């Protein structure tokens, strides 16, 4: 019998894995996915939803979002919240690229304003923002300065001349989680992070110049400062080797911890420790530090994006209105308050390949956006659209204020290189009027849009289920990849 035979459809695009599926489940599994996505979803990802539901202290649901696919321990596109009283912390619920996230910058430019300068703009972005596997940033940190980056994040970057003070207002957590502690980050992680600060990296990370083509909610788009025809820039990257090493370091510690605390887990990749244990608290502080590194990284890239536009267009960035619309984290654990059985409860929310989508009224949302809900940024794949949505009350009730983070992979990078050629992809992009610059032909093939789920379907599912509502659609004009 297939696991799918045990899943009940409770409304359009919403499914439940009952607790009876596995006698060790402590919560129901909940999937937000359309019929086609459900049909094609690998059973391993569904098993991972059920496995997460077995962890101590889990609250309400183990959740799979519209872009769900198989991951390390937790599925990618997964959310789970735990009580601090009897719950756990698991690095598998965050993953290796801590605070991989997306930032969007608005402008007052149109495509006509930049059309004749597109090649120069793309070259400038590629030159000014280092990218590629093992890429190194173009700054040299002073002795022990990496600790300030880890402790203060984007605030450190702004104080050191990378960007504007008002940028911080429009970053999740204002670009700095105060409980971060650089002393909990290993020397090896710091050594990996020092040369890579201010670089894009490789894989699915990118910088795109985009155009707003469709507005679905005029009122909220106006609040976010988005207009049809506007040029925007999207940055997608994370904590680089620093975050990867933090995850690796603490997975080893958690592998010992779950045995020490006699926690029964269905999968070793779910290695964890009780929330109030030294192991869990040390991981949290190190993970927050890596998240701060990622916010500093995106802040520095924002600064160089503005410089590139200034140099090519001979205009001041502020005159081009190059402010940050918002910045979201995709891989992170947060300590948040949510309603459980009618009472506000402090919870430990794991989001892995998931975007926070807080509804109206939450204090965590910038004051300018608070009445309409948090901006939600869901990037597409190379050559496809990306979307801006807003958080909802339904998300607060059902998904701990969370929705999808992107299209979600269908093919491994190895398989994508077998199925697609960079030449074919470049021709396809050219036919759509999209320019591309990448460090290698392989990365173009690995990131073919056919290697991912349909972003339009993922976003539509978020919208129809109400866990985030569509505000605007943007399409790429030019993209640079590592």
């Amino acid at each position: 019998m297939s696991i799918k035979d045990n899943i009940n459809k409770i409304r359009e695009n919403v499914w439940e894995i009952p607790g009876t599926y596995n006698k060790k489940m402590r919560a129901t599994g909940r999937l937000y996915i359309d019929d086609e996505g459900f049909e094609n979803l690998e059973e391993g990802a569904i098993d991972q939803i059920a496995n997460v539901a077995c962890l101590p202290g889990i609250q309400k649901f183990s959740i799979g979002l519209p872009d769900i696919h198989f991951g390390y321990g937790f599925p990618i596109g997964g959310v789970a919240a735990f009580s601090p009283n009897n719950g756990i912390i698991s690095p598998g619920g965050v993953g290796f690229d801590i605070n991989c996230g997306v930032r969007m910058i608005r402008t007052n430019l149109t495509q006509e304003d930049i059309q004749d300068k597109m090649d120069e703009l793309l070259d400038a972005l590629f030159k000014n923002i280092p990218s590629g596997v093992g890429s190194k940033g173009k700054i040299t940190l002073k002795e022990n300065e990496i600790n300030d980056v880890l402790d203060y994040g984007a605030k450190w970057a702004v104080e050191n001349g990378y960007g504007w003070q008002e940028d911080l207002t429009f970053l999740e957590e204002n670009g700095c989680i105060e409980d971060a502690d650089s002393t909990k980050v290993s020397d090896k992680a710091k050594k990996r992070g020092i040369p890579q600060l201010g670089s894009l990296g490789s894989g699915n990370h990118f910088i795109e110049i985009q155009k707003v083509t469709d507005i679905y909610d005029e009122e909220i788009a106006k609040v976010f400062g988005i207009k049809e025809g506007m040029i925007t820039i999207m940055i997608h990257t994370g904590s680089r080797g620093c975050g990867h090493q933090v995850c690796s370091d603490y997975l080893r510690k958690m592998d010992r911890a779950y045995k020490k605390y006699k926690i029964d887990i269905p999968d070793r990749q779910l290695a964890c420790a009780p929330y109030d244990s030294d192991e869990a608290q040390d991981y949290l502080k190190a993970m927050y530090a890596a998240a701060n590194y990622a916010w500093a990284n995106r802040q520095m890239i924002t600064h160089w994006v503005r410089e590139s536009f200034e140099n090519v267009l001979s205009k001041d960035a502020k005159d081009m209105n190059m402010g940050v619309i918002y910045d979201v984290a995709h891989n992170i654990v947060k300590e948040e308050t949510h309603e459980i059985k009618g009472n506000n409860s402090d919870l430990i929310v794991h989001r892995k390949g998931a975007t926070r989508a807080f509804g109206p009224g939450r204090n965590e949302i910038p004051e300018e956006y608070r009445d309409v809900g948090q901006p939600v940024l869901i990037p597409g794949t190379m050559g496809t659209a990306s979307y801006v949505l807003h958080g909802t009350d339904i998300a607060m009730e059902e998904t701990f204020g969370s929705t999808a983070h992107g299209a979600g992979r269908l093919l491994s990078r190895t398989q994508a290189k077998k199925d697609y050629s960079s030449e074919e992809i470049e021709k396809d992009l050219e036919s759509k009027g999209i320019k591309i610059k990448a460090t290698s032909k392989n990365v173009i093939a690995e990131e073919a849009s056919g290697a991912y789920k349909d972003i339009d379907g993922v976003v539509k599912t978020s919208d129809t289920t109400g866990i985030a509502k569509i505000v605007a659609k943007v399409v790429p004009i030019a993209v640079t990849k590592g």
Side-chain angles (χ1 to χ4, degrees), residues 145-167:
E145 201 170 8
I146 185 64
N147 295 330
D148 291 336
V149 174
L150 294 166
D151 289 331
Y152 302 108
K155 293 181 180 179
W156 171 88
V158 170
E159 288 173 2
N160 282 272
Y162 300 101
W164 309 334
Q165 187 67 35
E166 57 262 37
D167 291 341

Side-chain angles (χ1 to χ4, degrees), residues 157-278:
V158 170
E159 288 173 2
N160 282 272
Y162 300 101
W164 309 334
Q165 187 67 35
E166 57 262 37
D167 291 341
L168 302 177
T169 301
F170 300 102
L171 315 184
E172 189 170 327
E173 299 294 334
N174 301 124
C176 173
I177 298 181
E178 293 182 358
D179 289 338
D181 186 348
S182 59
T183 68
K184 304 301 182 183
V185 177
S186 69
D187 287 341
K188 186 174 182 180
K190 291 176 184 177
K191 287 177 181 176
R192 290 186 68 180
I194 287 170
Q196 293 186 337
L197 186 64
S199 65
L200 188 63
S202 61
N204 62 345
H205 296 155
F206 64 77
I207 298 173
E208 278 189 359
I209 301 174
Q210 306 164 327
K211 180 175 72 173
V212 179
T213 57
D214 298 274
I215 299 292
Y216 299 90
D217 189 314
E218 292 281 357
E219 180 182 345
I220 295 181
K222 186 176 181 180
V223 173
F224 292 168
I226 299 172
K227 299 177 181 179
E228 188 173 338
M230 170 189 286
I231 294 297
T232 59
I233 302 98
M234 186 173 278
I235 300 165
H236 179 206
T237 190
S239 52
R240 307 289 282 110
C242 178
H244 194 284
Q245 190 63 48
V246 166
C247 182
S248 298
D249 291 341
Y250 281 92
L251 278 173
R252 287 191 290 271
K253 294 179 181 180
M254 293 295 186
D255 194 52
R256 298 189 294 269
Y258 86 88
K259 299 168 187 173
K260 169 184 171 182
Y261 295 106
K262 297 180 172 56
I263 302 173
D264 184 17
I265 57 175
D267 180 356
R268 188 176 176 183
Q269 292 182 355
L270 295 175
C272 56
Y275 169 75
D276 58 0
S277 67
D278 289 342

